Amino acid sequence: MKKFKKFYIEITSVCNLACSFCPPTERKANFISIEDFTKTLDQVKPHAEYIYFHVKGEPLLHPKIDQLLDLSHERGFKVNITSNGTLITKNRHKLLGKPALRQMNFSLHSFDGHEGSTDKAGYLAGILDFIHEARTMSDTIFSLRLWNLDRDNATNAERNRNRELLGMIEQAFHLDYRIEEQVVRGKGTKIAPNIYINQDYEFVWPALKEEEDDGKGFCHGLRNQAGVLVDGTVIPCCLDGEGVINLGNIHKQHFSEIIEGERAANLYDGFSRREVVEELCRKCDYRRRFL
């Protein structure tokens, strides 16, 4: 029985922003129903303990996210949510005190990534207000993400842009140091109990139009993670935002059978040999971390 450290359940393919770093999905706009969500949980229960409410889309747009959290808790799952944070004030009552909620990641780089964003101070204040209240009610972990660093460090534009946000965070938590002095790229830096800053390079979604390399390498897809898109399509990892590597559909075949199928086995066995059999994987920048 395959077990996954991370399991992604996309609860909506819809987002309220149009960020420069995130290509819009070509799939049909959709929200998972309570019935389909319950079915998904029951099928993946033997395979995972930690689930993530995203692949594409903004989870806080789902009108019944509170019910999804309750259903997850009833079945023993711990939930991680990644959000752009713009809807947190409106939806805080649906999240506060939920025992299933293990971690919330706020993609602060979404503010500058979305053309037309206004009131940066108000945006951050809403997120921090929620965090402060949630900390009095639970042990939820919070990660404040700034994934917009320049890979070749040719300019300091991204770092300068982040300084305003980081300065506000430093003031809110009464830090006596500049966060940049403590942060290690790609690792969470603790600034308060259960609160972390995470800075990294701008995220690049793999796409079939991109160039591919020599086809060698390794990835943890179908080893420590897998996912299901909002329409039931099973994918090997959270980077297949369009379901290009369609392993099957849980509405037509049980998840346990899908991940033992021929396409899934070929992908898994290929990585065991350090050979990349799927075209999308050969065009994935993230895989280069394991070269």
Side-chain angles (χ1 to χ4, degrees):
M1 180 72 69
K2 283 192 173 78
K3 301 282 285 188
F4 302 103
K5 291 172 63 177
K6 300 178 180 180
F7 195 90
Y8 297 85
I9 300 177
E10 183 184 68
I11 63 173
T12 179
S13 58
V14 181
C15 189
N16 62 319
L17 300 185
C19 296
S20 58
F21 55 82
C22 187
T25 181
E26 299 175 2
R27 295 180 284 119
K28 178 182 178 181
N30 202 355
F31 292 84
I32 198 168
S33 67
I34 295 295
E35 179 183 0
D36 286 348
F37 182 75
T38 302
K39 179 178 181 180
T40 303
L41 290 182
D42 290 341
Q43 289 198 29
V44 305
K45 176 61 180 172
H47 302 278
E49 179 181 353
Y50 298 100
I51 55 177
Y52 295 68
F53 279 6
H54 64 278
V55 176
K56 285 290 192 72
E58 167 51 51
L60 298 191
L61 279 174
H62 199 293
K64 297 181 180 179
I65 192 171
D66 49 347
Q67 294 182 47
L68 304 186
L69 285 166
D70 290 340
L71 288 167
S72 300
H73 177 63
E74 289 171 7
R75 286 159 175 76
F77 288 102
K78 292 295 184 181
V79 177
N80 299 301
I81 296 176
T82 296
S83 170
N84 59 45
T86 58
L87 303 174
I88 191 62
T89 300
K90 179 180 178 181
N91 290 281
R92 60 193 296 158
H93 64 286
K94 296 182 180 181
L95 305 174
L96 290 170
K98 292 297 184 183
L101 186 57
R102 171 186 175 270
Q103 179 168 333
M104 281 209 69
N105 308 311
F106 289 103
S107 300
L108 302 185
H109 48 278
S110 300
F111 185 88
D112 285 322
H114 175 72
E115 185 177 352
S117 294
T118 59
D119 189 14
K120 184 179 292 188
Y123 162 74
L124 183 61
I127 292 173
L128 296 182
D129 285 347
F130 169 77
I131 290 175
H132 287 312
E133 184 173 0
R135 290 174 70 196
T136 67
M137 305 174 66
S138 71
D139 293 324
T140 302
I141 300 167
F142 297 95
S143 174
L144 301 174
R145 293 178 172 180
L146 283 165
W147 289 2
N148 58 1
L149 298 182
D150 184 16
R151 285 184 177 274
D152 57 14
N153 291 318
T155 71
N156 288 320
E158 287 79 7
R159 295 181 188 275
N160 292 337
R161 181 175 60 190
N162 291 340
R163 175 89 296 268
E164 185 179 1
L165 276 171
L166 293 176
M168 288 188 278
I169 293 170
E170 290 161 4
Q171 184 176 12
F173 290 98
H174 308 291
L175 304 182
D176 60 0
Y177 58 87
R178 288 169 69 94
I179 290 173
E180 296 96 325
E181 299 170 356
Q182 304 289 332
V183 167
V184 176
R185 184 193 63 77
K187 295 184 178 180
T189 300
K190 188 175 183 179
I191 61 171
N194 286 355
I195 303 177
Y196 298 83
I197 295 284
N198 189 295
Q199 289 193 269
D200 210 333
Y201 296 135
E202 182 172 305
F203 184 80
V204 179
W205 287 91
L208 293 177
K209 65 180 181 181
E210 301 297 331
E211 294 183 6
E212 60 183 71
D213 55 27
D214 60 4
K216 301 294 182 181
F218 177 79
C219 184
H220 292 287
L222 282 186
R223 274 181 160 75
N224 69 6
Q225 66 168 283
V228 177
L229 298 179
V230 68
D231 66 353
T233 298
V234 176
I235 54 176
C237 74
C238 63
L239 303 184
D240 188 2
E242 294 301 319
V244 173
I245 308 175
N246 183 344
L247 301 176
N249 193 292
I250 62 169
H251 301 307
K252 300 178 181 178
Q253 186 180 11
H254 198 282
F255 176 78
S256 297
E257 297 176 355
I258 292 173
I259 58 171
E260 297 295 340
E262 181 178 2
R263 189 170 187 179
N266 288 339
L267 184 149
Y268 186 98
D269 294 341
F271 282 132
S272 296
R273 302 187 303 269
R274 300 305 190 264
E275 295 178 3
V276 185
V277 301
E278 289 285 348
E279 181 182 3
L280 185 69
C281 299
R282 294 195 296 271
K283 299 177 177 181
C284 180
D285 184 66
Y286 188 81
R287 179 174 54 85
R288 293 185 175 90
R289 298 186 181 199
F290 308 109
L291 293 177

